[in-house]
């Protein structure tokens, strides 16, 4: 087993609870059904979605609202490839290791095509362009550092509130600074409001948004006047299923 400088293994450094900052051993690779089920339970318990004969609705909810990301690292067998694909069907993006190219499959989004990033607002049925979140569904990483950065990036969701988006953007930027020595090239795409900005980089980012990207900033009120793709909206209800529209306008 690998140990840290203090001689402790990862199991001794972290707790085993099914919670943040814990490492939970769910058993063999086929036991990961429990992990997928955790994402399903978010939709069934918190959103009261029916889980019987309703796969597309559950997957749609997870894809647009649950900030989950899978990783398949190490020996990439056909079984591991099937598990990763199963996560994709549930709306969960997955980062895989370099040898997975042998299966000739990768699901990468085209950020240069705005028409690919249109979703339905379930409140009124209007089409809304969103940031690429998640940008890919099956991403092949060449190094563990790239994998960690991409995992943080693939946790963004269009329905994030400002607190959630701020935490995710902080995580994304911190990992990039730690392993690559710079902020990610596309961090500005995920900014909708000043409240989304990480506190550590807030001033620097606001200056960059104004000087490099041409955004209008009200420095006195500390507000973004124009520039983002869309404003932050807590009640935004993204979906890809027309039947989920509540009221058509």
């Amino acid at each position: 087993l690998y140990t840290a400088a203090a001689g402790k293994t990862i199991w001794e450094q972290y707790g085993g609870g099914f919670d943040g900052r814990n490492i939970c051993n769910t058993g063999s690779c086929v036991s990961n059904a429990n992990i997928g089920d955790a994402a399903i339970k978010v939709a069934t318990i918190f959103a009261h979605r029916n889980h019987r004969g309703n796969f597309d609705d559950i997957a749609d909810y997870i894809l647009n609202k649950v900030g989950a990301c899978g990783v398949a690292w190490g020996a990439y067998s056909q079984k591991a490839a099937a598990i990763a694909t199963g996560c994709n069907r549930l709306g969960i993006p997955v980062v895989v290791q370099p040898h997975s190219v042998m299966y000739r499959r990768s699901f990468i989004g085209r950020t240069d095509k705005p028409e690919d990033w249109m979703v339905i607002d379930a409140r009124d049925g209007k089409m809304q362009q969103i940031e690429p979140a998640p940008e890919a569904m099956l991403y092949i990483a060449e190094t563990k550092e790239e994998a960690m950065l991409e995992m943080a990036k693939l946790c963004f969701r269009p329905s994030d509130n400002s607190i959630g988006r701020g935490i995710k953007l902080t995580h994304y930027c911190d990992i990039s600074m730690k392993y690559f020595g710079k902020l990610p090239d596309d961090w500005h795409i995920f900014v909708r409001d000043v409240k989304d900005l990480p506190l550590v980089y807030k001033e620097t980012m606001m200056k960059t948004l104004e000087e490099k990207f041409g955004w209008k900033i009200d420095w006195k009120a500390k507000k973004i006047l124009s520039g983002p793709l869309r404003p932050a909206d807590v009640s935004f209800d993204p979906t890809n299923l027309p039947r989920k529209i509540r009221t058509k306008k």
Side-chain angles (χ1 to χ4, degrees), residues 153-172:
K153 183 178 180 179
L154 294 181
C155 285
F156 287 109
R157 294 295 182 272
S159 61
D160 291 339
N161 58 29
S162 291
I163 296 173
R165 180 60 63 89
I167 292 171
K168 292 177 182 181
L169 196 54
T170 301
H171 193 198
Y172 184 41

Side-chain angles (χ1 to χ4, degrees), residues 117-121 126-130 229-231 236:
W117 304 100
M118 301 295 291
V119 297
I120 303 168
D121 187 343
K126 290 182 180 177
M127 298 299 293
Q128 170 68 52
Q129 185 183 346
I130 58 168
L229 180 65
R230 62 186 182 91
F236 179 50

Side-chain angles (χ1 to χ4, degrees), residues 94-115:
V94 180
V95 177
V96 294
Q97 59 110 337
H99 289 172
S100 61
V101 294
M102 70 175 75
Y103 295 109
R104 299 177 179 271
R105 173 180 286 180
S106 180
F107 302 136
I108 306 294
R110 290 284 301 270
T111 56
D112 58 323
K113 289 189 171 185
E115 63 273 17

Side-chain angles (χ1 to χ4, degrees), residues 204-234:
T204 309
M205 284 182 162
M206 288 178 72
K207 288 178 182 176
T208 306
L209 289 172
E210 185 178 54
E211 295 169 6
K212 185 176 179 180
F213 299 107
W215 291 24
K216 290 185 180 179
I217 310 287
D218 183 343
W219 288 98
K220 191 174 180 181
K222 295 288 183 183
K223 287 184 178 180
I224 296 174
L225 301 178
S226 67
L229 180 65
R230 62 186 182 91
D233 184 358
V234 243

